Structures are given as structure tokens and as C-alpha cells.
Amino acid sequence: MKMKPIFILSVLLVSVFAIQEPTGVILLFRHGARGPIDDSFEKTWENMYGELTGVGMRQQYLRGAYLAQLYPQLFSQYNSNNYYIRSTDYNRTLMSVYSLLDGLLYEKGPTFIDNYPFERAYPPYTANFLDKNMDVFPHKYQAVPIHTVETSSDELLLGNDPKVCPIAAKLISNQTEEPTYKEVVAKFKQTISEVSKRMNSTTVLSIDQLEDLEDTIIANYFEQKQLPGDIDPNSELGKNLTFLIMYKTYFLEIGSTLQRQLSSMNLMNQFKADLQSILQSSDPSVKLYSAHDSTLAPILAVTGIATHDCLYKNFFENGTYTSCYYPKFASQIRIEAWKNDTDLNSSEIRFYFDEAPQNLCNSETGHCTWKDFQSLIDTYTQGKDINYFRSMCASESQSSPSNNTTNGTDSIAQIPDGPDIGLKYAIYALTAFAGVLFVGIIYCIGKKIDRESETEAQQYE
């Protein structure tokens, strides 16, 4: 009997800790499985090229159901004041977030009150509406607004797209000339030759063609379709091809310091603003961003979670960087904010990639304080904002940053000023020239006065 109070206390403590949840959550995720981007190596996808498949919908639905179990209080019901959801303007990302919400808010939608006159809920025309279900939608579906902008204007989620940031294409071109990149590609000469042979190509496939092929192999693999060239992604040849394309993408698109900064800074600044809003609010908040592998990869690179360097070490040197890989279908970054009511700066920020916790601040707890996380973001962005991003992206004459290619785990070096630096130096030069000219004029006037004085003196001699 003496153990009974202790047992009850233990149960209560477990219950208390079990229902502890963060103040708010930010989720950035890649769309689910899709069809190949084009028909270069597969002609059987009909109208499904680049579109979300049933597999992809299922992936996102299960993610939503998992999050609902992980945060039962946070997702107990939809509240328009506490939710903000944004997607890129692609079918696959929009459908992904709708699929996620189906799992997240399953049977949590609105219902009619008892004895509601259903004719009021009919459209304004005569028809035989027999539905008398008390649920507004079947299965209590909850409709939720999804925000998006045109692809060419999406600086937040497509910041490294050349249509959004024109200098991105030039920076990629610069990276292709890097000796390190050429050396790694050369290591896979035999792989490229074998893959080209498997595809019955009369010429050796280019790196861009290999990227299209690898994309098709992965899409077909998830859809249980015939694999091009019978190349299984889990075979040695398939793994070699996948590594080559992952390395190429990380190195060429986000391999330099400037690339990582430009492609991640808008999202990092948005995360900072979102977390500030969450921690200052009295209500829980949810921020969902549905995007692409090219959206997640810069965040992983700038934080040092996944870079071309750790990919290389994992593949060639038996490295143990378990989170170092290219974002897969339905990969996600999740950030939790745990508010400290007595000291906001001591609030805890927890960062996860595909459910693996990431110790970005190298702290004993494994997480960051809000104060340290803000400093970390300022380091990643160098304190720059959207105006700097726009200025740099518009500067296609920006000098090559190739000598700044790093492994992504270092601190970001000082970024040079934007295109206005030329104007600044011109002003400096003009100012200096004007100063010299002014001194010269004064000197000449002085000499003239001296000569006139000497002439007058001679006249009186």
C-alpha cells in the first residue's frame, strides 16, 4: 500500500511530460513521389510527367497523420489565426500539402448544429439535394487556405532558380570549372560508360543527361515501373550514379559560399521572423512550407548538415555523416519553438532533418537557445536582407566566387558589397580628384598673386 502514492505520482508525471508540446512548429518539406520531369528516358507516363503520384500523396498523408499524433494539442483543430501555409506554384507541391493536411486534420472539420435547416446550405439553384449529413464534408474534412505566388516571383521558396535569381546560372557555370568537381566526375568515367552502354547510347551520356536518367530511375522505382536500362538504384551501378548526381547538384548549385548564402538567406530570415512571431504569441502557431529538393538543400548546406564534402567522405572514406544526403521525396526540415515564459532568449529551438535531431549550436542539450539561434541565422545570412538578395541576383557581372568553394561547414566569409560598390568607388575617386583639383587651383592663384606682387614691386623700384 505504501507504493500506491508513488505509483500514482509516477503516472501523473508521465502524463504531464507526455502532453508537453512546443509553442509552435515550422515545417519545410519536399513534395512526395512524382513522375519524371521529362520523357527523355521514359515515354509511358502520359500526362503524369512532374505530377504527384498516388505514392506521393500517400507519403504526405502519412506524414500529416504522424504529426497529428506527435502534436495532439497543436493540431487538435484548425484555427485560421494560428496557421500559415504556403506552397510553390507547382501541382506536385500544392497537392502534397493538401495530402498532408488530409492526414493532419482528419475528421477535425466543421459540423452543422442540431436541427440545422439544410436548405440554407444549398447552392442558389433548384436541384434534388438529398444530403442530410451533419458533417459539412464527408469524414469531417477541413478545408484550409494555401498561399502561393508565381514561380518567377517566388524569392522565398525558389531563391536559387535562375528565373528568380538570374546570377544563379552564372554561378553554376563558374562552379563547373572548379578542378575539384572535374576530378570527382573523372572518377566515375567507368560508371558513365557503363550507364551509357546500358541505355544503348551511341555516345557517352552527358552529365545533364545522366541527371535526367537518374530522375527517371527514381520515379519509376517508386511507381514500380520498368527501370531504364534495368539500373536498380540499390545496385552498385545505381548507387554510383545517384552519388554522382547528388554530388553534382550540391557542388554546382550550392558549392560556393555566395551560392549558399543567396539560396538560403530568404528562408533563414523567414524562419527567424516566424519563430519571433511564435514566441511572442500567446497561442500556438503552425507554419507549413511545401517546396522542392532545391529548397531544402541550401538550408542543409548552409547549416553544414549535408554538403558536397560530407557526401564525398561518406562515399569514398566511409564517413559517418548520417544526415548527409540529398533531400528525398517527402524529406522534411522541422523546427520546434519551446517558449520560456520567464526569459524569451532562453527559449529552446529544436531542429530536425527527417526526424534526426541536429545540434546546430553544438550545445550540451543538443538544441539552441533562441538567442543563439538568432545569432546563427545572422551568421548564415551575414545580416543581409531581401534588398541585398535582389541586388546580387540582378548583378550578372558579379565576379566568380569559385575560390570560395568550401565544404559548407565553415563560417560564411565576408561577402563583398553588391553591384553598387562600383558607384561607391567612383564617388571616392571623384571626391579625391576634386580635392586635388581644388588644391591645384589654390596653388595657381597663389602663384599668380606672387607674380603680380613682384611686378608691382619692380615698378616702384
Side-chain angles (χ1 to χ4, degrees):
M1 292 295 293
K2 291 182 179 179
M3 294 297 292
K4 189 173 181 180
I6 297 176
F7 174 76
I8 294 174
L9 179 59
S10 300
V11 171
L12 289 173
L13 286 173
V14 170
S15 299
V16 169
F17 285 110
I19 62 173
Q20 280 190 333
E21 293 185 23
T23 310
V25 172
I26 300 171
L27 196 69
L28 171 68
F29 55 93
R30 186 188 180 189
H31 56 75
R34 55 155 171 77
I37 292 299
D38 59 44
D39 65 352
S40 299
F41 295 97
E42 179 64 76
K43 307 295 183 182
T44 65
W45 280 84
E46 298 181 355
N47 63 341
M48 288 297 292
Y49 289 97
E51 299 294 329
L52 192 71
T53 65
V55 175
M57 295 177 200
R58 182 68 173 176
Q59 288 175 316
Q60 298 295 353
Y61 173 81
L62 291 177
R63 181 208 305 287
Y66 167 77
L67 291 171
Q69 291 182 339
L70 189 63
Y71 308 117
Q73 294 180 337
L74 197 59
F75 298 117
S76 60
Q77 64 179 9
Y78 172 71
N79 183 333
S80 61
N81 293 324
N82 300 337
Y83 279 68
Y84 179 78
I85 305 168
R86 178 164 166 175
S87 170
T88 59
D89 193 20
Y90 285 86
N91 290 347
R92 58 182 177 270
T93 51
L94 288 162
M95 293 171 68
S96 285
V97 73
Y98 280 123
S99 300
L100 180 146
L101 290 166
D102 280 351
L104 189 65
L105 300 171
Y106 181 71
E107 293 192 337
K108 296 173 183 176
T111 59
F112 292 107
I113 61 174
D114 293 340
N115 302 317
Y116 182 83
F118 283 98
E119 63 275 7
R120 296 182 187 176
Y122 296 161
Y125 53 85
T126 303
N128 185 22
F129 296 107
L130 299 177
D131 181 29
K132 302 292 183 181
N133 196 320
M134 295 302 293
D135 298 334
V136 173
F137 288 114
H139 308 294
K140 293 185 179 179
Y141 171 79
Q142 173 66 61
V144 180
I146 311 299
H147 303 271
T148 190
V149 299
E150 290 185 5
T151 298
S152 60
S153 304
D154 199 343
E155 297 170 317
L156 180 65
L157 299 178
L158 296 173
N160 61 344
D161 189 320
K163 292 189 292 291
V164 177
C165 184
I167 199 178
K170 178 177 175 58
L171 297 178
I172 290 173
S173 178
N174 291 341
Q175 288 294 100
T176 62
E177 300 303 317
E178 280 293 306
T180 301
Y181 172 69
K182 292 181 178 180
E183 289 170 7
V184 171
V185 173
K187 290 177 182 289
F188 290 88
K189 183 178 180 180
Q190 184 175 346
T191 295
I192 296 172
S193 177
E194 177 63 23
V195 169
S196 301
K197 182 180 178 181
R198 290 280 194 99
M199 297 307 299
N200 297 317
S201 176
T202 56
T203 59
V204 175
L205 295 177
S206 69
I207 193 74
D208 290 334
Q209 289 175 313
L210 291 171
E211 185 172 13
D212 286 342
L213 174 61
E214 195 269 345
D215 177 74
T216 304
I217 290 172
I218 298 300
N220 282 20
Y221 176 83
F222 274 90
E223 197 66 12
Q224 198 67 12
K225 294 169 74 74
Q226 178 67 37
L227 299 174
D230 290 327
I231 302 174
D232 189 323
N234 296 311
S235 67
E236 182 178 359
L237 183 63
K239 289 179 179 178
N240 286 352
L241 177 60
T242 297
F243 168 80
L244 177 60
I245 299 307
M246 286 196 305
Y247 185 89
K248 171 212 180 245
T249 305
Y250 268 115
F251 194 99
L252 296 189
E253 296 183 10
I254 42 180
S256 75
T257 301
L258 181 58
Q259 286 175 307
R260 285 194 299 276
Q261 187 204 30
L262 289 177
S263 58
S264 68
M265 62 181 297
N266 295 336
L267 258 176
M268 280 298 188
N269 283 329
Q270 185 64 52
F271 289 161
K272 185 178 179 180
D274 286 345
L275 290 168
Q276 184 75 38
S277 174
I278 289 170
L279 292 173
Q280 291 182 343
S281 174
S282 57
D283 297 319
S285 297
V286 177
K287 314 285 185 180
L288 304 180
Y289 299 98
S290 180
H292 309 264
D293 49 358
S294 57
T295 312
L296 274 71
I299 303 299
L300 300 176
V302 78
T303 55
I305 295 171
T307 67
H308 62 269
D309 186 64
C310 64
L311 281 176
Y312 185 94
K313 290 177 179 178
N314 279 350
F315 193 83
F316 288 106
E317 302 172 6
N318 297 317
T320 57
Y321 302 92
T322 55
S323 293
C324 183
Y325 53 86
Y326 196 70
K328 305 171 184 177
F329 288 141
S331 278
Q332 69 166 9
I333 289 171
R334 178 163 52 89
I335 306 174
E336 296 177 345
W338 295 75
K339 185 176 182 178
N340 185 325
D341 290 316
T342 59
D343 181 10
L344 201 64
N345 281 330
S346 297
S347 299
E348 195 169 72
I349 308 300
R350 303 180 184 180
F351 194 103
Y352 302 85
F353 174 48
D354 284 345
E355 296 309 303
Q358 307 296 323
N359 190 2
L360 300 185
C361 292
N362 296 317
S363 65
E364 294 181 359
T365 64
H367 307 296
C368 296
T369 64
W370 171 227
K371 180 180 180 180
D372 290 341
F373 195 74
Q374 290 180 88
S375 298
L376 204 60
I377 289 179
D378 289 341
T379 299
Y380 297 148
T381 65
Q382 285 287 289
K384 306 293 186 180
D385 60 12
I386 188 67
N387 294 320
Y388 173 83
F389 172 83
R390 291 168 179 166
S391 173
M392 293 299 292
C393 286
S395 174
E396 294 186 334
S397 61
Q398 173 68 28
S399 59
S400 169
S402 58
N403 60 348
N404 280 333
T405 300
T406 64
N407 60 21
T409 59
D410 59 327
S411 297
I412 291 185
Q414 182 64 42
I415 304 298
D417 290 335
D420 290 339
I421 189 171
L423 178 61
K424 183 192 298 183
Y425 289 155
I427 292 173
Y428 289 161
L430 287 172
T431 302
F433 177 75
V436 171
L437 184 61
F438 178 75
V439 171
I441 291 172
I442 295 299
Y443 175 79
C444 292
I445 292 173
K447 292 294 289 181
K448 181 179 181 181
I449 292 173
D450 289 342
R451 286 196 298 271
E452 290 177 349
S453 298
E454 290 177 0
T455 301
E456 290 177 359
Q458 290 174 359
Q459 290 177 352
Y460 288 100
E461 284 181 355

